[in-house]
Amino acid sequence: MKIRQSTRSNPLSLSPTLYSNAGMTHALGSPYWRDLFDIVIVQAMKPSFYSNSDRPFRLLNPRSMSQTWRPVSSLERGQIYIQGNVGDFISMTGLPGARVLYFGDHVFSDLADPIMQLGWKTGAIIPELEAEMKKAFSPAAKRYLAELLVLENMLKNYQEHSRPELVAVMEDWKQRRTEARRHLKTMFNPRFGSVFRTEKSPTYFSLRLSAFANLYTASVDNLMNYSLDYTFIPRRTALPHEPDLNFDLDIRLTDPD
Protein backbone atom coordinates (compact mmCIF):
# COMPACT_ATOMS: atom_id res chain seq x y z
CA MET A 1 0.00 0.00 0.00
CA LYS A 2 1.39 3.40 -1.00
CA ILE A 3 0.83 6.35 1.29
CA ARG A 4 0.92 9.80 -0.25
CA GLN A 5 3.25 12.03 1.67
CA SER A 6 2.55 15.64 2.54
CA THR A 7 5.15 18.08 1.28
CA ARG A 8 5.49 19.38 4.83
CA SER A 9 6.31 15.99 6.30
CA ASN A 10 9.56 14.21 6.71
CA PRO A 11 8.90 10.82 5.04
CA LEU A 12 11.12 9.12 7.60
CA SER A 13 8.84 10.31 10.41
CA LEU A 14 5.75 8.45 9.18
CA SER A 15 6.90 4.90 9.82
CA PRO A 16 7.57 5.28 13.56
CA THR A 17 4.35 7.24 14.01
CA LEU A 18 2.19 4.71 12.18
CA TYR A 19 3.90 1.91 14.06
CA SER A 20 3.29 3.57 17.42
CA ASN A 21 -0.36 4.25 16.62
CA ALA A 22 -1.01 0.70 15.41
CA GLY A 23 0.82 -0.84 18.36
CA MET A 24 -0.90 1.27 21.01
CA THR A 25 -4.32 0.80 19.38
CA HIS A 26 -3.83 -2.96 19.45
CA ALA A 27 -2.36 -3.06 22.98
CA LEU A 28 -5.04 -0.88 24.58
CA GLY A 29 -7.89 -1.96 22.33
CA SER A 30 -8.90 1.56 21.36
CA PRO A 31 -7.94 4.09 18.69
CA TYR A 32 -8.38 6.76 21.38
CA TRP A 33 -5.37 5.60 23.38
CA ARG A 34 -3.97 9.15 23.40
CA ASP A 35 -6.68 10.15 25.87
CA LEU A 36 -4.91 8.04 28.51
CA PHE A 37 -1.73 10.12 28.38
CA ASP A 38 -0.93 13.71 29.24
CA ILE A 39 1.81 13.99 26.60
CA VAL A 40 2.57 11.82 23.57
CA ILE A 41 5.98 12.03 21.88
CA VAL A 42 7.01 9.81 18.97
CA GLN A 43 10.28 9.50 17.08
CA ALA A 44 12.24 10.92 20.00
CA MET A 45 15.36 9.31 18.48
CA LYS A 46 17.06 8.33 21.73
CA PRO A 47 19.79 8.95 22.76
CA SER A 48 19.78 12.22 20.76
CA PHE A 49 16.68 13.23 22.72
CA TYR A 50 18.90 13.55 25.81
CA SER A 51 22.00 15.11 24.23
CA ASN A 52 20.93 17.25 21.27
CA SER A 53 19.32 20.51 22.39
CA ASP A 54 18.94 21.73 18.78
CA ARG A 55 16.06 19.38 17.98
CA PRO A 56 12.80 21.25 18.71
CA PHE A 57 9.42 19.62 19.20
CA ARG A 58 7.09 19.57 16.19
CA LEU A 59 3.34 19.15 16.34
CA LEU A 60 1.98 16.27 14.27
CA ASN A 61 -1.41 16.25 12.58
CA PRO A 62 -2.61 12.62 12.97
CA ARG A 63 -5.12 12.93 10.12
CA SER A 64 -2.86 14.30 7.40
CA MET A 65 0.30 12.82 8.97
CA SER A 66 2.03 16.15 8.45
CA GLN A 67 4.11 18.08 10.91
CA THR A 68 3.82 21.78 11.58
CA TRP A 69 6.86 24.02 11.53
CA ARG A 70 5.69 26.68 13.93
CA PRO A 71 7.51 26.73 17.28
CA VAL A 72 6.05 24.56 20.06
CA SER A 73 5.94 26.53 23.31
CA SER A 74 3.90 24.07 25.38
CA LEU A 75 3.06 20.36 25.39
CA GLU A 76 -0.69 19.87 25.44
CA ARG A 77 -2.85 16.87 26.23
CA GLY A 78 -4.33 15.04 23.24
CA GLN A 79 -1.66 16.20 20.79
CA ILE A 80 1.16 14.19 19.20
CA TYR A 81 4.67 15.62 19.13
CA ILE A 82 7.70 14.34 17.27
CA GLN A 83 11.42 14.64 18.00
CA GLY A 84 12.24 17.33 20.60
CA ASN A 85 14.81 17.25 23.37
CA VAL A 86 14.81 16.62 27.08
CA GLY A 87 15.76 20.19 28.00
CA ASP A 88 12.62 21.60 26.37
CA PHE A 89 10.58 18.75 27.86
CA ILE A 90 11.67 19.63 31.39
CA SER A 91 11.16 23.37 30.94
CA MET A 92 7.67 22.90 29.46
CA THR A 93 6.46 20.38 32.02
CA GLY A 94 8.30 21.70 35.07
CA LEU A 95 9.03 18.16 36.20
CA PRO A 96 12.26 17.78 38.20
CA GLY A 97 14.19 14.55 37.94
CA ALA A 98 13.08 13.20 41.31
CA ARG A 99 9.43 13.22 40.19
CA VAL A 100 9.94 11.35 36.93
CA LEU A 101 9.70 7.56 36.71
CA TYR A 102 10.80 6.54 33.24
CA PHE A 103 10.18 3.04 31.87
CA GLY A 104 12.02 1.41 29.00
CA ASP A 105 12.75 -2.07 27.67
CA HIS A 106 16.41 -1.52 26.73
CA VAL A 107 18.89 -1.07 29.55
CA PHE A 108 21.39 1.05 27.60
CA SER A 109 19.47 3.07 25.00
CA ASP A 110 16.44 3.70 27.24
CA LEU A 111 17.63 3.90 30.83
CA ALA A 112 21.33 4.82 31.01
CA ASP A 113 21.05 8.51 30.08
CA PRO A 114 17.90 9.32 32.12
CA ILE A 115 19.31 7.92 35.36
CA MET A 116 22.93 9.07 34.94
CA GLN A 117 22.47 12.48 33.32
CA LEU A 118 19.01 13.60 34.46
CA GLY A 119 18.58 11.93 37.83
CA TRP A 120 15.28 10.38 36.79
CA LYS A 121 13.96 7.26 38.46
CA THR A 122 13.99 4.42 35.97
CA GLY A 123 12.11 1.17 35.54
CA ALA A 124 13.06 -1.65 33.20
CA ILE A 125 10.55 -3.90 31.44
CA ILE A 126 12.10 -7.38 31.28
CA PRO A 127 9.65 -9.88 29.70
CA GLU A 128 11.98 -12.81 30.46
CA LEU A 129 11.56 -12.15 34.19
CA GLU A 130 8.13 -13.80 34.41
CA ALA A 131 9.35 -17.19 33.16
CA GLU A 132 12.47 -17.02 35.32
CA MET A 133 10.47 -16.29 38.46
CA LYS A 134 8.16 -19.23 37.83
CA LYS A 135 11.17 -21.53 37.64
CA ALA A 136 13.00 -19.94 40.58
CA PHE A 137 9.97 -20.25 42.90
CA SER A 138 9.13 -23.81 41.85
CA PRO A 139 9.40 -26.47 44.61
CA ALA A 140 12.22 -28.27 42.76
CA ALA A 141 14.32 -25.11 42.40
CA LYS A 142 13.86 -24.26 46.08
CA ARG A 143 14.95 -27.74 47.13
CA TYR A 144 18.03 -27.66 44.90
CA LEU A 145 18.94 -24.20 46.20
CA ALA A 146 18.47 -25.25 49.82
CA GLU A 147 20.67 -28.28 49.26
CA LEU A 148 23.32 -26.15 47.58
CA LEU A 149 23.40 -23.65 50.46
CA VAL A 150 23.70 -26.41 53.05
CA LEU A 151 26.51 -28.13 51.15
CA GLU A 152 28.46 -24.91 50.69
CA ASN A 153 28.08 -24.07 54.36
CA MET A 154 29.37 -27.51 55.43
CA LEU A 155 32.29 -27.35 52.99
CA LYS A 156 33.24 -23.95 54.37
CA ASN A 157 33.11 -25.10 58.00
CA TYR A 158 34.91 -28.44 57.59
CA GLN A 159 37.46 -27.74 54.85
CA GLU A 160 40.41 -27.53 57.24
CA HIS A 161 39.82 -30.95 58.81
CA SER A 162 42.20 -33.61 57.55
CA ARG A 163 40.74 -36.83 58.92
CA PRO A 164 40.63 -39.41 56.07
CA GLU A 165 37.00 -40.35 56.68
CA LEU A 166 35.94 -36.67 56.57
CA VAL A 167 37.97 -36.00 53.43
CA ALA A 168 36.03 -38.75 51.66
CA VAL A 169 32.74 -37.28 52.85
CA MET A 170 33.74 -33.85 51.65
CA GLU A 171 34.48 -35.19 48.20
CA ASP A 172 30.93 -36.51 48.13
CA TRP A 173 29.66 -33.10 49.22
CA LYS A 174 31.59 -31.44 46.38
CA GLN A 175 30.08 -33.84 43.88
CA ARG A 176 26.58 -33.19 45.17
CA ARG A 177 27.26 -29.44 45.04
CA THR A 178 28.26 -29.74 41.39
CA GLU A 179 25.08 -31.68 40.64
CA ALA A 180 22.91 -29.13 42.46
CA ARG A 181 24.53 -26.30 40.47
CA ARG A 182 23.98 -28.18 37.22
CA HIS A 183 20.31 -28.81 38.01
CA LEU A 184 19.72 -25.16 38.88
CA LYS A 185 21.39 -24.03 35.66
CA THR A 186 19.54 -26.41 33.34
CA MET A 187 16.20 -25.54 34.94
CA PHE A 188 16.53 -22.05 33.44
CA ASN A 189 18.39 -22.84 30.23
CA PRO A 190 20.50 -25.94 29.47
CA ARG A 191 23.13 -23.89 27.63
CA PHE A 192 23.70 -20.70 29.63
CA GLY A 193 21.46 -20.92 32.70
CA SER A 194 19.63 -17.93 34.12
CA VAL A 195 19.59 -14.54 32.41
CA PHE A 196 20.26 -12.94 35.79
CA ARG A 197 22.71 -15.23 37.61
CA THR A 198 25.82 -17.31 37.00
CA GLU A 199 26.10 -19.57 40.07
CA LYS A 200 26.93 -17.13 42.90
CA SER A 201 27.49 -14.05 40.74
CA PRO A 202 25.08 -11.85 38.81
CA THR A 203 25.43 -11.92 35.03
CA TYR A 204 26.78 -8.88 33.19
CA PHE A 205 23.22 -8.10 32.13
CA SER A 206 22.09 -8.23 35.76
CA LEU A 207 24.90 -5.90 36.86
CA ARG A 208 24.02 -3.36 34.16
CA LEU A 209 20.37 -3.66 35.08
CA SER A 210 21.07 -2.88 38.74
CA ALA A 211 23.21 0.10 37.71
CA PHE A 212 20.67 1.72 35.36
CA ALA A 213 17.27 0.68 36.75
CA ASN A 214 15.77 1.57 40.12
CA LEU A 215 13.26 -1.23 39.67
CA TYR A 216 12.38 -3.81 37.06
CA THR A 217 9.34 -5.89 36.25
CA ALA A 218 8.06 -8.24 33.57
CA SER A 219 5.17 -5.91 32.71
CA VAL A 220 4.17 -2.39 33.63
CA ASP A 221 0.73 -3.83 34.43
CA ASN A 222 2.21 -5.22 37.64
CA LEU A 223 2.27 -1.70 39.07
CA MET A 224 -1.52 -1.82 39.25
CA ASN A 225 -1.09 -4.08 42.30
CA TYR A 226 0.32 -1.14 44.28
CA SER A 227 -1.10 2.17 45.42
CA LEU A 228 0.25 5.43 43.99
CA ASP A 229 1.98 6.30 47.26
CA TYR A 230 3.67 2.89 47.65
CA THR A 231 7.44 3.02 48.22
CA PHE A 232 9.60 0.22 46.87
CA ILE A 233 12.39 -0.54 49.35
CA PRO A 234 15.28 -2.52 47.82
CA ARG A 235 16.58 -5.65 49.48
CA ARG A 236 19.89 -5.23 51.29
CA THR A 237 22.75 -7.02 49.56
CA ALA A 238 25.55 -8.20 51.83
CA LEU A 239 29.10 -7.35 50.74
CA PRO A 240 31.88 -9.94 51.10
CA HIS A 241 33.41 -8.20 54.14
CA GLU A 242 30.12 -7.76 56.00
CA PRO A 243 28.67 -10.21 58.57
CA ASP A 244 26.89 -13.20 57.08
CA LEU A 245 23.49 -13.25 58.73
CA ASN A 246 22.17 -16.26 56.82
CA PHE A 247 20.89 -18.83 59.29
CA ASP A 248 22.05 -22.42 58.96
CA LEU A 249 19.40 -24.52 57.25
CA ASP A 250 18.38 -27.72 58.99
CA ILE A 251 17.51 -29.61 55.82
CA ARG A 252 18.24 -33.23 55.03
CA LEU A 253 20.33 -33.72 51.93
CA THR A 254 17.92 -35.70 49.80
CA ASP A 255 17.55 -35.65 46.05
CA PRO A 256 14.60 -33.56 44.86
CA ASP A 257 11.91 -35.33 42.92
Side-chain angles (χ1 to χ4, degrees):
M1 181 177 67
K2 184 176 181 180
I3 300 178
R4 178 171 295 178
Q5 309 284 351
S6 167
T7 57
R8 293 186 297 167
S9 298
N10 179 356
L12 296 179
S13 70
L14 292 181
S15 178
T17 304
L18 293 173
Y19 176 84
S20 299
N21 182 63
M24 294 298 292
T25 299
H26 173 76
L28 300 179
S30 171
Y32 305 105
W33 58 268
R34 297 195 304 275
D35 296 339
L36 301 176
F37 299 90
D38 293 328
I39 301 171
V40 177
I41 302 171
V42 298
Q43 201 187 0
M45 298 180 65
K46 302 181 299 293
S48 296
F49 182 79
Y50 305 111
S51 58
N52 189 350
S53 60
D54 296 329
R55 297 173 63 250
F57 284 104
R58 299 298 184 188
L59 182 64
L60 185 70
N61 187 326
R63 293 184 177 180
S64 63
M65 297 305 297
S66 61
Q67 67 182 31
T68 62
W69 295 102
R70 66 176 182 272
V72 174
S73 57
S74 62
L75 301 177
E76 300 176 3
R77 185 183 180 92
Q79 303 293 344
I80 299 178
Y81 301 93
I82 64 174
Q83 299 187 14
N85 64 86
V86 72
D88 289 344
F89 173 82
I90 293 175
S91 64
M92 292 180 189
T93 60
L95 291 174
R99 292 187 57 194
V100 177
L101 174 58
Y102 180 82
F103 280 92
D105 59 3
H106 195 286
V107 175
F108 292 100
S109 65
D110 284 334
L111 305 181
D113 286 332
I115 193 172
M116 296 182 67
Q117 297 184 22
L118 305 174
W120 290 1
K121 305 298 183 183
T122 56
I125 306 299
I126 312 295
E128 297 84 358
L129 179 62
E130 183 174 1
E132 290 234 353
M133 290 187 64
K134 288 181 179 179
K135 296 174 183 177
F137 283 84
S138 66
K142 289 182 178 181
R143 291 196 295 268
Y144 281 124
L145 179 58
E147 179 177 7
L148 178 60
L149 294 177
V150 170
L151 287 166
E152 290 180 340
N153 188 59
M154 292 190 300
L155 286 169
K156 179 184 67 175
N157 292 335
Y158 291 98
Q159 60 182 319
E160 295 183 353
H161 294 270
S162 58
R163 288 181 296 173
E165 62 274 17
L166 184 55
V167 171
V169 173
M170 291 184 65
E171 289 300 320
D172 178 66
W173 291 349
K174 291 178 181 179
Q175 179 61 34
R176 299 189 67 172
R177 178 183 62 177
T178 299
E179 293 176 0
R181 286 176 173 175
R182 178 177 59 81
H183 283 300
L184 285 172
K185 175 182 178 180
T186 55
M187 287 185 67
F188 292 96
N189 186 288
R191 295 187 179 273
F192 55 81
S194 169
V195 175
F196 298 90
R197 177 179 294 278
T198 301
E199 294 186 0
K200 285 183 174 294
S201 303
T203 59
Y204 180 77
F205 170 76
S206 186
L207 290 173
R208 296 297 86 193
L209 181 63
S210 62
F212 299 138
N214 296 110
L215 58 88
Y216 60 90
T217 179
S219 172
V220 71
D221 292 344
N222 293 331
L223 295 179
M224 297 179 66
N225 297 319
Y226 303 90
S227 63
L228 292 177
D229 59 353
Y230 184 86
T231 300
F232 291 93
I233 301 176
R235 181 185 303 173
R236 179 182 174 86
T237 302
L239 300 175
H241 68 278
E242 294 179 328
D244 184 5
L245 300 182
N246 291 325
F247 296 99
D248 292 340
L249 301 176
D250 184 17
I251 298 178
R252 291 180 297 173
L253 300 183
T254 57
D255 291 329
D257 296 335

